[in-house]
Amino acid sequence: AQTVTQSQPEMSVQEAETVTLSCTYDTSESDYYLFWYKQPPSRQMILVIRQEAYKQQNATENRFSVNFQKAAKSFSLKISDSQLGDAAMYFCAYRGSNYQLIWGAGTKLIIKP
Amino acid sequence: EADIYQTPRYLVIGTGKKITLECSQTMGHDKMYWYQQDPGMELHLIHYSYGVNSTEKGDLSSESTVSRIRTEHFPLTLESARPSHTSQYLCASSPVEGRERTGELFFGEGSRLTVL
């Protein structure tokens, strides 16, 4: 069975600095998708970025980028120029052939002004 | 902001009461989901639906039930609430899949249930 592990329950970063959130996963499949979702306090969870496993190029969305290491089964999220609005829970998720998302336990990101 | 709404946002009730958590979306999505979320834990899928009159149980066993009579509406019901049901419940929907939208879920703000 697939698993997703986020080893950092909490991270903090100074405003305007760069932070990297870690995610590892376990699967025997070769074709799958990986995601980072953001859940701000008392607000809706939203998709931040998506990576398709067959694409070698790392996905980027403005200040958000990923480091996808397929062989190592690692999928980290880098947030550049951190802003106060980036404070949230960040969840890593995996989707394989059964079309259901497998979620990590989340990382709470604190932005220090 | 996604057009998916959950009510109530917060609910405190006594043991044995029947409760229904409402979820509605105005995006015309066929797929809808209910997740249970506890602090410091991953989200667990408890129910999902791929369209009207379609409901399935997720990977987390739950005493709740769901119905899908209309595309836009996916309520979750607990016939007799217990303290073990205390949790946050997230409703989500997703559009028809294409390469660009694969895996994108749109979430409601959640319903936080406390059973005394």
Side-chain angles (χ1 to χ4, degrees):
Chain A
Q2 295 88 4
T3 58
V4 176
T5 302
Q6 293 180 250
S7 59
Q8 307 153 317
E10 186 175 296
M11 291 281 285
S12 63
V13 63
Q14 206 72 35
E15 192 177 3
E17 298 288 305
T18 295
V19 64
T20 298
L21 308 184
S22 301
C23 173
T24 58
Y25 58 96
D26 189 25
T27 185
S28 59
E29 298 180 323
S30 59
D31 189 19
Y32 50 86
Y33 293 81
L34 295 162
F35 309 87
W36 280 98
Y37 277 83
K38 170 186 177 182
Q39 186 180 35
S42 300
R43 293 182 60 191
Q44 292 159 315
M45 180 138 28
I46 59 171
L47 177 65
V48 175
I49 200 164
R50 173 197 297 110
Q51 176 78 41
E52 300 176 68
Y54 74 90
K55 288 187 176 179
Q56 293 186 339
Q57 186 173 6
N58 289 324
T60 62
E61 289 287 344
N62 301 311
R63 296 182 295 108
F64 298 86
S65 62
V66 298
N67 183 5
F68 173 48
Q69 301 290 328
K70 190 172 184 179
K73 297 179 183 174
S74 170
F75 183 60
S76 60
L77 175 70
K78 185 173 82 171
I79 305 173
S80 304
D81 185 25
S82 297
Q83 301 175 359
L84 295 177
D86 295 333
M89 286 291 296
Y90 286 82
F91 290 92
C92 178
Y94 166 100
R95 201 197 85 151
S97 59
N98 71 353
Y99 298 98
Q100 301 296 356
L101 289 177
I102 308 297
W103 298 81
T107 297
K108 182 178 182 180
L109 179 62
I110 298 168
I111 310 296
K112 298 177 182 177
Chain B
E1 296 285 332
D3 296 321
I4 180 164
Y5 308 99
Q6 290 186 241
T7 57
R9 291 288 311 281
Y10 303 93
L11 180 62
V12 181
I13 60 168
T15 297
K17 299 292 186 183
K18 177 181 179 179
I19 65 111
T20 296
L21 304 180
E22 302 287 350
C23 177
S24 295
Q25 52 96 3
T26 59
M27 296 172 284
H29 291 168
D30 285 327
K31 298 180 182 180
M32 296 190 72
Y33 312 83
W34 276 103
Y35 285 92
Q36 187 170 332
Q37 181 184 28
D38 294 307
M41 302 285 290
E42 57 270 32
L43 277 69
H44 285 291
L45 182 66
I46 51 175
H47 297 284
Y48 61 99
S49 168
Y50 284 169
V52 171
N53 294 325
S54 152
T55 60
E56 301 286 346
K57 289 186 179 293
D59 57 3
L60 181 66
S61 176
S62 174
E63 295 165 345
S64 58
T65 59
V66 293
S67 63
R68 189 87 183 276
I69 299 173
R70 303 197 314 266
T71 297
E72 62 270 23
H73 195 212
F74 191 41
L76 181 146
T77 298
L78 275 167
E79 290 293 334
S80 179
R82 295 205 302 269
S84 60
H85 295 138
T86 294
S87 187
Q88 170 149 271
Y89 294 84
L90 298 179
C91 182
S93 70
S94 64
V96 172
E97 294 212 349
R99 277 296 187 188
E100 292 185 358
R101 308 305 298 274
T102 298
E104 182 170 10
L105 300 185
F106 294 85
F107 283 86
E109 292 181 307
S111 292
R112 187 168 297 279
L113 173 65
T114 301
V115 184
L116 304 176

